[in-house]
Amino acid sequence: RWQTISSWPKSNQWILTIPVWYNLDVVHDFSSSVLLTYKGKMLLLSPDMPTTGTPQHLWRLISGEKEDPESFEQAICRRIKHTTKLELTNIQLLSPAAHNKGKHFYHGELTDNDVNSIERREGQRLEFFTLVELERLTLTEATEGLLNEYRNTVEKLFSRE
């Protein structure tokens, strides 16, 4: 995003436009998130460089906003593709918006081929973590809230893998 700020001194009315990147998970409450799992670990993303509004090493789920006329499932699949370059078709709804304060929560189980095909975007880190490793991470408020609310469901998913 671009942000326009007035530079000093104000009497000259100079305008300086500088690029400012905001981590949208901090300033925006997305309508859908997805828990991508692989062999007992979940995929999280974090900025690879400090950004305005988000410190480096703040981890989150892949999340996104629905655009007309797509469905919430299409929206989250679009975000997965944008973030990882993966085109997944095996996404399952864990919780519809009515049960989660307006947020849809999905799950997708990745295959060996999926994991080997992941491409990260410049400026982002994608890593897999176990539930135990998750306890040592700093998560965004939205991700932490979602994982806490669905802790039993998430633990059951991990016990199946």
Side-chain angles (χ1 to χ4, degrees), residues 122-150:
E122 184 177 346
Q124 84 178 6
R125 294 172 57 197
L126 293 168
E127 292 187 30
F128 288 93
F129 298 97
T130 65
L131 288 176
V132 172
E133 292 169 329
L134 193 66
E135 300 294 327
R136 296 188 300 261
L137 297 177
T138 304
L139 304 173
T140 62
E141 186 177 320
T143 294
E144 186 172 13
L146 202 56
L147 292 176
N148 283 337
E149 184 173 348
Y150 292 98

PDB file of all heavy atoms in Angstrom, residues 122-150:
ATOM      1  N   GLU A 122       8.311 -13.736  -2.568  1.00  0.00           N
ATOM      2  CA  GLU A 122       9.396 -12.939  -2.025  1.00  0.00           C
ATOM      3  C   GLU A 122       8.902 -12.174  -0.799  1.00  0.00           C
ATOM      4  O   GLU A 122       7.806 -11.621  -0.784  1.00  0.00           O
ATOM      5  CB  GLU A 122       9.899 -11.950  -3.077  1.00  0.00           C
ATOM      6  CG  GLU A 122      11.097 -11.161  -2.614  1.00  0.00           C
ATOM      7  CD  GLU A 122      11.638 -10.241  -3.687  1.00  0.00           C
ATOM      8  OE1 GLU A 122      11.265 -10.389  -4.863  1.00  0.00           O
ATOM      9  OE2 GLU A 122      12.449  -9.376  -3.329  1.00  0.00           O
ATOM     10  N   GLY A 123       9.712 -12.180   0.243  1.00  0.00           N
ATOM     11  CA  GLY A 123       9.367 -11.445   1.455  1.00  0.00           C
ATOM     12  C   GLY A 123       8.515 -12.213   2.442  1.00  0.00           C
ATOM     13  O   GLY A 123       8.044 -11.656   3.422  1.00  0.00           O
ATOM     14  N   GLN A 124       8.289 -13.505   2.211  1.00  0.00           N
ATOM     15  CA  GLN A 124       7.502 -14.280   3.155  1.00  0.00           C
ATOM     16  C   GLN A 124       8.190 -15.598   3.472  1.00  0.00           C
ATOM     17  O   GLN A 124       8.925 -16.142   2.659  1.00  0.00           O
ATOM     18  CB  GLN A 124       6.091 -14.538   2.645  1.00  0.00           C
ATOM     19  CG  GLN A 124       5.959 -15.728   1.733  1.00  0.00           C
ATOM     20  CD  GLN A 124       4.525 -15.964   1.292  1.00  0.00           C
ATOM     21  OE1 GLN A 124       3.639 -15.187   1.565  1.00  0.00           O
ATOM     22  NE2 GLN A 124       4.300 -17.040   0.592  1.00  0.00           N
ATOM     23  N   ARG A 125       7.961 -16.072   4.671  1.00  0.00           N
ATOM     24  CA  ARG A 125       8.463 -17.376   5.099  1.00  0.00           C
ATOM     25  C   ARG A 125       7.277 -18.301   5.243  1.00  0.00           C
ATOM     26  O   ARG A 125       6.233 -17.910   5.751  1.00  0.00           O
ATOM     27  CB  ARG A 125       9.164 -17.247   6.445  1.00  0.00           C
ATOM     28  CG  ARG A 125      10.417 -16.402   6.378  1.00  0.00           C
ATOM     29  CD  ARG A 125      10.990 -16.119   7.742  1.00  0.00           C
ATOM     30  NE  ARG A 125      11.282 -17.361   8.444  1.00  0.00           N
ATOM     31  CZ  ARG A 125      11.486 -17.438   9.744  1.00  0.00           C
ATOM     32  NH1 ARG A 125      11.420 -16.368  10.499  1.00  0.00           N
ATOM     33  NH2 ARG A 125      11.760 -18.587  10.318  1.00  0.00           N
ATOM     34  N   LEU A 126       7.427 -19.527   4.810  1.00  0.00           N
ATOM     35  CA  LEU A 126       6.443 -20.585   4.989  1.00  0.00           C
ATOM     36  C   LEU A 126       7.150 -21.726   5.697  1.00  0.00           C
ATOM     37  O   LEU A 126       8.162 -22.218   5.201  1.00  0.00           O
ATOM     38  CB  LEU A 126       5.910 -21.072   3.641  1.00  0.00           C
ATOM     39  CG  LEU A 126       5.071 -20.099   2.831  1.00  0.00           C
ATOM     40  CD1 LEU A 126       4.865 -20.612   1.421  1.00  0.00           C
ATOM     41  CD2 LEU A 126       3.731 -19.868   3.512  1.00  0.00           C
ATOM     42  N   GLU A 127       6.626 -22.123   6.845  1.00  0.00           N
ATOM     43  CA  GLU A 127       7.249 -23.217   7.596  1.00  0.00           C
ATOM     44  C   GLU A 127       6.179 -24.080   8.233  1.00  0.00           C
ATOM     45  O   GLU A 127       5.077 -23.611   8.535  1.00  0.00           O
ATOM     46  CB  GLU A 127       8.184 -22.664   8.670  1.00  0.00           C
ATOM     47  CG  GLU A 127       9.413 -21.981   8.105  1.00  0.00           C
ATOM     48  CD  GLU A 127      10.407 -21.580   9.184  1.00  0.00           C
ATOM     49  OE1 GLU A 127      10.484 -22.262  10.227  1.00  0.00           O
ATOM     50  OE2 GLU A 127      11.108 -20.587   8.973  1.00  0.00           O
ATOM     51  N   PHE A 128       6.548 -25.348   8.464  1.00  0.00           N
ATOM     52  CA  PHE A 128       5.658 -26.291   9.126  1.00  0.00           C
ATOM     53  C   PHE A 128       6.037 -26.401  10.601  1.00  0.00           C
ATOM     54  O   PHE A 128       7.223 -26.436  10.938  1.00  0.00           O
ATOM     55  CB  PHE A 128       5.760 -27.676   8.470  1.00  0.00           C
ATOM     56  CG  PHE A 128       5.114 -27.726   7.117  1.00  0.00           C
ATOM     57  CD1 PHE A 128       5.851 -27.491   5.971  1.00  0.00           C
ATOM     58  CD2 PHE A 128       3.765 -28.026   6.996  1.00  0.00           C
ATOM     59  CE1 PHE A 128       5.260 -27.545   4.724  1.00  0.00           C
ATOM     60  CE2 PHE A 128       3.157 -28.079   5.754  1.00  0.00           C
ATOM     61  CZ  PHE A 128       3.913 -27.837   4.615  1.00  0.00           C
ATOM     62  N   PHE A 129       5.017 -26.492  11.465  1.00  0.00           N
ATOM     63  CA  PHE A 129       5.228 -26.581  12.910  1.00  0.00           C
ATOM     64  C   PHE A 129       4.312 -27.632  13.520  1.00  0.00           C
ATOM     65  O   PHE A 129       3.152 -27.760  13.114  1.00  0.00           O
ATOM     66  CB  PHE A 129       4.933 -25.237  13.591  1.00  0.00           C
ATOM     67  CG  PHE A 129       5.830 -24.123  13.140  1.00  0.00           C
ATOM     68  CD1 PHE A 129       5.413 -23.236  12.163  1.00  0.00           C
ATOM     69  CD2 PHE A 129       7.091 -23.960  13.688  1.00  0.00           C
ATOM     70  CE1 PHE A 129       6.229 -22.202  11.740  1.00  0.00           C
ATOM     71  CE2 PHE A 129       7.921 -22.931  13.267  1.00  0.00           C
ATOM     72  CZ  PHE A 129       7.488 -22.048  12.292  1.00  0.00           C
ATOM     73  N   THR A 130       4.824 -28.345  14.520  1.00  0.00           N
ATOM     74  CA  THR A 130       3.992 -29.256  15.306  1.00  0.00           C
ATOM     75  C   THR A 130       3.212 -28.439  16.336  1.00  0.00           C
ATOM     76  O   THR A 130       3.502 -27.259  16.558  1.00  0.00           O
ATOM     77  CB  THR A 130       4.859 -30.295  16.054  1.00  0.00           C
ATOM     78  OG1 THR A 130       5.671 -29.594  17.005  1.00  0.00           O
ATOM     79  CG2 THR A 130       5.724 -31.103  15.103  1.00  0.00           C
ATOM     80  N   LEU A 131       2.257 -29.082  16.995  1.00  0.00           N
ATOM     81  CA  LEU A 131       1.506 -28.395  18.049  1.00  0.00           C
ATOM     82  C   LEU A 131       2.427 -27.972  19.191  1.00  0.00           C
ATOM     83  O   LEU A 131       2.252 -26.897  19.766  1.00  0.00           O
ATOM     84  CB  LEU A 131       0.383 -29.282  18.578  1.00  0.00           C
ATOM     85  CG  LEU A 131      -0.805 -29.473  17.641  1.00  0.00           C
ATOM     86  CD1 LEU A 131      -1.816 -30.443  18.243  1.00  0.00           C
ATOM     87  CD2 LEU A 131      -1.467 -28.150  17.303  1.00  0.00           C
ATOM     88  N   VAL A 132       3.420 -28.789  19.514  1.00  0.00           N
ATOM     89  CA  VAL A 132       4.366 -28.446  20.582  1.00  0.00           C
ATOM     90  C   VAL A 132       5.191 -27.231  20.169  1.00  0.00           C
ATOM     91  O   VAL A 132       5.382 -26.303  20.960  1.00  0.00           O
ATOM     92  CB  VAL A 132       5.277 -29.650  20.909  1.00  0.00           C
ATOM     93  CG1 VAL A 132       6.387 -29.265  21.872  1.00  0.00           C
ATOM     94  CG2 VAL A 132       4.448 -30.802  21.472  1.00  0.00           C
ATOM     95  N   GLU A 133       5.676 -27.205  18.931  1.00  0.00           N
ATOM     96  CA  GLU A 133       6.455 -26.064  18.443  1.00  0.00           C
ATOM     97  C   GLU A 133       5.605 -24.791  18.388  1.00  0.00           C
ATOM     98  O   GLU A 133       6.107 -23.690  18.591  1.00  0.00           O
ATOM     99  CB  GLU A 133       7.018 -26.362  17.046  1.00  0.00           C
ATOM    100  CG  GLU A 133       8.066 -27.453  17.046  1.00  0.00           C
ATOM    101  CD  GLU A 133       8.424 -27.934  15.649  1.00  0.00           C
ATOM    102  OE1 GLU A 133       7.556 -27.912  14.754  1.00  0.00           O
ATOM    103  OE2 GLU A 133       9.584 -28.338  15.456  1.00  0.00           O
ATOM    104  N   LEU A 134       4.329 -24.958  18.151  1.00  0.00           N
ATOM    105  CA  LEU A 134       3.411 -23.827  18.070  1.00  0.00           C
ATOM    106  C   LEU A 134       3.379 -23.032  19.373  1.00  0.00           C
ATOM    107  O   LEU A 134       3.223 -21.817  19.354  1.00  0.00           O
ATOM    108  CB  LEU A 134       2.012 -24.359  17.744  1.00  0.00           C
ATOM    109  CG  LEU A 134       0.959 -23.382  17.318  1.00  0.00           C
ATOM    110  CD1 LEU A 134       1.316 -22.776  15.975  1.00  0.00           C
ATOM    111  CD2 LEU A 134      -0.390 -24.074  17.230  1.00  0.00           C
ATOM    112  N   GLU A 135       3.548 -23.706  20.484  1.00  0.00           N
ATOM    113  CA  GLU A 135       3.522 -23.046  21.797  1.00  0.00           C
ATOM    114  C   GLU A 135       4.647 -22.015  21.950  1.00  0.00           C
ATOM    115  O   GLU A 135       4.525 -21.092  22.741  1.00  0.00           O
ATOM    116  CB  GLU A 135       3.621 -24.084  22.922  1.00  0.00           C
ATOM    117  CG  GLU A 135       2.505 -25.113  22.938  1.00  0.00           C
ATOM    118  CD  GLU A 135       1.150 -24.504  23.243  1.00  0.00           C
ATOM    119  OE1 GLU A 135       1.079 -23.523  24.003  1.00  0.00           O
ATOM    120  OE2 GLU A 135       0.149 -25.009  22.692  1.00  0.00           O
ATOM    121  N   ARG A 136       5.735 -22.170  21.201  1.00  0.00           N
ATOM    122  CA  ARG A 136       6.886 -21.262  21.309  1.00  0.00           C
ATOM    123  C   ARG A 136       6.836 -20.111  20.302  1.00  0.00           C
ATOM    124  O   ARG A 136       7.705 -19.244  20.297  1.00  0.00           O
ATOM    125  CB  ARG A 136       8.179 -22.036  21.126  1.00  0.00           C
ATOM    126  CG  ARG A 136       8.432 -23.072  22.224  1.00  0.00           C
ATOM    127  CD  ARG A 136       9.814 -23.679  22.122  1.00  0.00           C
ATOM    128  NE  ARG A 136      10.044 -24.354  20.864  1.00  0.00           N
ATOM    129  CZ  ARG A 136       9.947 -25.666  20.668  1.00  0.00           C
ATOM    130  NH1 ARG A 136       9.635 -26.450  21.668  1.00  0.00           N
ATOM    131  NH2 ARG A 136      10.188 -26.192  19.492  1.00  0.00           N
ATOM    132  N   LEU A 137       5.819 -20.096  19.439  1.00  0.00           N
ATOM    133  CA  LEU A 137       5.726 -19.069  18.394  1.00  0.00           C
ATOM    134  C   LEU A 137       4.887 -17.889  18.859  1.00  0.00           C
ATOM    135  O   LEU A 137       4.021 -18.023  19.715  1.00  0.00           O
ATOM    136  CB  LEU A 137       5.076 -19.650  17.139  1.00  0.00           C
ATOM    137  CG  LEU A 137       5.808 -20.777  16.432  1.00  0.00           C
ATOM    138  CD1 LEU A 137       4.983 -21.268  15.247  1.00  0.00           C
ATOM    139  CD2 LEU A 137       7.178 -20.322  15.957  1.00  0.00           C
ATOM    140  N   THR A 138       5.128 -16.746  18.254  1.00  0.00           N
ATOM    141  CA  THR A 138       4.267 -15.591  18.442  1.00  0.00           C
ATOM    142  C   THR A 138       3.311 -15.561  17.259  1.00  0.00           C
ATOM    143  O   THR A 138       3.738 -15.428  16.110  1.00  0.00           O
ATOM    144  CB  THR A 138       5.088 -14.291  18.485  1.00  0.00           C
ATOM    145  OG1 THR A 138       6.072 -14.406  19.513  1.00  0.00           O
ATOM    146  CG2 THR A 138       4.194 -13.092  18.762  1.00  0.00           C
ATOM    147  N   LEU A 139       2.025 -15.736  17.549  1.00  0.00           N
ATOM    148  CA  LEU A 139       1.002 -15.786  16.514  1.00  0.00           C
ATOM    149  C   LEU A 139       0.245 -14.468  16.453  1.00  0.00           C
ATOM    150  O   LEU A 139       0.163 -13.746  17.446  1.00  0.00           O
ATOM    151  CB  LEU A 139       0.005 -16.910  16.810  1.00  0.00           C
ATOM    152  CG  LEU A 139       0.576 -18.314  16.976  1.00  0.00           C
ATOM    153  CD1 LEU A 139      -0.510 -19.280  17.431  1.00  0.00           C
ATOM    154  CD2 LEU A 139       1.198 -18.798  15.671  1.00  0.00           C
ATOM    155  N   THR A 140      -0.337 -14.183  15.281  1.00  0.00           N
ATOM    156  CA  THR A 140      -1.212 -13.022  15.206  1.00  0.00           C
ATOM    157  C   THR A 140      -2.420 -13.292  16.098  1.00  0.00           C
ATOM    158  O   THR A 140      -2.761 -14.438  16.393  1.00  0.00           O
ATOM    159  CB  THR A 140      -1.694 -12.753  13.769  1.00  0.00           C
ATOM    160  OG1 THR A 140      -2.460 -13.868  13.330  1.00  0.00           O
ATOM    161  CG2 THR A 140      -0.535 -12.476  12.834  1.00  0.00           C
ATOM    162  N   GLU A 141      -3.066 -12.239  16.514  1.00  0.00           N
ATOM    163  CA  GLU A 141      -4.235 -12.374  17.392  1.00  0.00           C
ATOM    164  C   GLU A 141      -5.332 -13.209  16.733  1.00  0.00           C
ATOM    165  O   GLU A 141      -5.946 -14.057  17.370  1.00  0.00           O
ATOM    166  CB  GLU A 141      -4.767 -10.980  17.737  1.00  0.00           C
ATOM    167  CG  GLU A 141      -5.882 -10.993  18.746  1.00  0.00           C
ATOM    168  CD  GLU A 141      -6.316  -9.592  19.112  1.00  0.00           C
ATOM    169  OE1 GLU A 141      -5.453  -8.704  19.247  1.00  0.00           O
ATOM    170  OE2 GLU A 141      -7.533  -9.381  19.249  1.00  0.00           O
ATOM    171  N   ALA A 142      -5.578 -12.978  15.442  1.00  0.00           N
ATOM    172  CA  ALA A 142      -6.615 -13.718  14.729  1.00  0.00           C
ATOM    173  C   ALA A 142      -6.293 -15.210  14.660  1.00  0.00           C
ATOM    174  O   ALA A 142      -7.154 -16.054  14.899  1.00  0.00           O
ATOM    175  CB  ALA A 142      -6.799 -13.142  13.329  1.00  0.00           C
ATOM    176  N   THR A 143      -5.049 -15.545  14.349  1.00  0.00           N
ATOM    177  CA  THR A 143      -4.646 -16.957  14.261  1.00  0.00           C
ATOM    178  C   THR A 143      -4.692 -17.623  15.622  1.00  0.00           C
ATOM    179  O   THR A 143      -5.214 -18.730  15.760  1.00  0.00           O
ATOM    180  CB  THR A 143      -3.238 -17.067  13.631  1.00  0.00           C
ATOM    181  OG1 THR A 143      -3.314 -16.624  12.278  1.00  0.00           O
ATOM    182  CG2 THR A 143      -2.713 -18.490  13.675  1.00  0.00           C
ATOM    183  N   GLU A 144      -4.166 -16.961  16.634  1.00  0.00           N
ATOM    184  CA  GLU A 144      -4.186 -17.527  17.978  1.00  0.00           C
ATOM    185  C   GLU A 144      -5.623 -17.760  18.452  1.00  0.00           C
ATOM    186  O   GLU A 144      -5.938 -18.806  19.008  1.00  0.00           O
ATOM    187  CB  GLU A 144      -3.457 -16.605  18.953  1.00  0.00           C
ATOM    188  CG  GLU A 144      -3.322 -17.194  20.339  1.00  0.00           C
ATOM    189  CD  GLU A 144      -2.440 -16.355  21.249  1.00  0.00           C
ATOM    190  OE1 GLU A 144      -2.113 -15.199  20.910  1.00  0.00           O
ATOM    191  OE2 GLU A 144      -2.065 -16.880  22.300  1.00  0.00           O
ATOM    192  N   GLY A 145      -6.499 -16.807  18.197  1.00  0.00           N
ATOM    193  CA  GLY A 145      -7.892 -16.953  18.603  1.00  0.00           C
ATOM    194  C   GLY A 145      -8.569 -18.120  17.915  1.00  0.00           C
ATOM    195  O   GLY A 145      -9.289 -18.903  18.543  1.00  0.00           O
ATOM    196  N   LEU A 146      -8.335 -18.266  16.623  1.00  0.00           N
ATOM    197  CA  LEU A 146      -8.939 -19.352  15.863  1.00  0.00           C
ATOM    198  C   LEU A 146      -8.422 -20.710  16.330  1.00  0.00           C
ATOM    199  O   LEU A 146      -9.201 -21.646  16.530  1.00  0.00           O
ATOM    200  CB  LEU A 146      -8.635 -19.146  14.380  1.00  0.00           C
ATOM    201  CG  LEU A 146      -9.529 -19.817  13.361  1.00  0.00           C
ATOM    202  CD1 LEU A 146     -10.978 -19.435  13.551  1.00  0.00           C
ATOM    203  CD2 LEU A 146      -9.077 -19.457  11.962  1.00  0.00           C
ATOM    204  N   LEU A 147      -7.118 -20.830  16.529  1.00  0.00           N
ATOM    205  CA  LEU A 147      -6.543 -22.100  16.973  1.00  0.00           C
ATOM    206  C   LEU A 147      -6.974 -22.447  18.397  1.00  0.00           C
ATOM    207  O   LEU A 147      -7.175 -23.615  18.711  1.00  0.00           O
ATOM    208  CB  LEU A 147      -5.019 -22.070  16.857  1.00  0.00           C
ATOM    209  CG  LEU A 147      -4.477 -22.018  15.420  1.00  0.00           C
ATOM    210  CD1 LEU A 147      -2.964 -21.887  15.424  1.00  0.00           C
ATOM    211  CD2 LEU A 147      -4.921 -23.235  14.617  1.00  0.00           C
ATOM    212  N   ASN A 148      -7.120 -21.441  19.250  1.00  0.00           N
ATOM    213  CA  ASN A 148      -7.600 -21.705  20.608  1.00  0.00           C
ATOM    214  C   ASN A 148      -9.060 -22.134  20.604  1.00  0.00           C
ATOM    215  O   ASN A 148      -9.444 -23.058  21.320  1.00  0.00           O
ATOM    216  CB  ASN A 148      -7.421 -20.478  21.503  1.00  0.00           C
ATOM    217  CG  ASN A 148      -5.995 -20.287  21.943  1.00  0.00           C
ATOM    218  OD1 ASN A 148      -5.204 -21.229  21.972  1.00  0.00           O
ATOM    219  ND2 ASN A 148      -5.636 -19.057  22.262  1.00  0.00           N
ATOM    220  N   GLU A 149      -9.879 -21.468  19.809  1.00  0.00           N
ATOM    221  CA  GLU A 149     -11.301 -21.798  19.748  1.00  0.00           C
ATOM    222  C   GLU A 149     -11.528 -23.210  19.229  1.00  0.00           C
ATOM    223  O   GLU A 149     -12.431 -23.914  19.671  1.00  0.00           O
ATOM    224  CB  GLU A 149     -12.037 -20.791  18.862  1.00  0.00           C
ATOM    225  CG  GLU A 149     -13.525 -21.014  18.836  1.00  0.00           C
ATOM    226  CD  GLU A 149     -14.269 -19.918  18.108  1.00  0.00           C
ATOM    227  OE1 GLU A 149     -13.674 -18.863  17.809  1.00  0.00           O
ATOM    228  OE2 GLU A 149     -15.472 -20.119  17.845  1.00  0.00           O
ATOM    229  N   TYR A 150     -10.705 -23.651  18.292  1.00  0.00           N
ATOM    230  CA  TYR A 150     -10.856 -24.968  17.683  1.00  0.00           C
ATOM    231  C   TYR A 150      -9.733 -25.925  18.069  1.00  0.00           C
ATOM    232  O   TYR A 150      -9.385 -26.810  17.314  1.00  0.00           O
ATOM    233  CB  TYR A 150     -10.969 -24.812  16.158  1.00  0.00           C
ATOM    234  CG  TYR A 150     -12.258 -24.132  15.811  1.00  0.00           C
ATOM    235  CD1 TYR A 150     -12.285 -22.778  15.546  1.00  0.00           C
ATOM    236  CD2 TYR A 150     -13.451 -24.832  15.830  1.00  0.00           C
ATOM    237  CE1 TYR A 150     -13.478 -22.132  15.277  1.00  0.00           C
ATOM    238  CE2 TYR A 150     -14.646 -24.198  15.564  1.00  0.00           C
ATOM    239  CZ  TYR A 150     -14.656 -22.847  15.295  1.00  0.00           C
ATOM    240  OH  TYR A 150     -15.839 -22.220  15.043  1.00  0.00           O
TER     241      TYR A 150
END
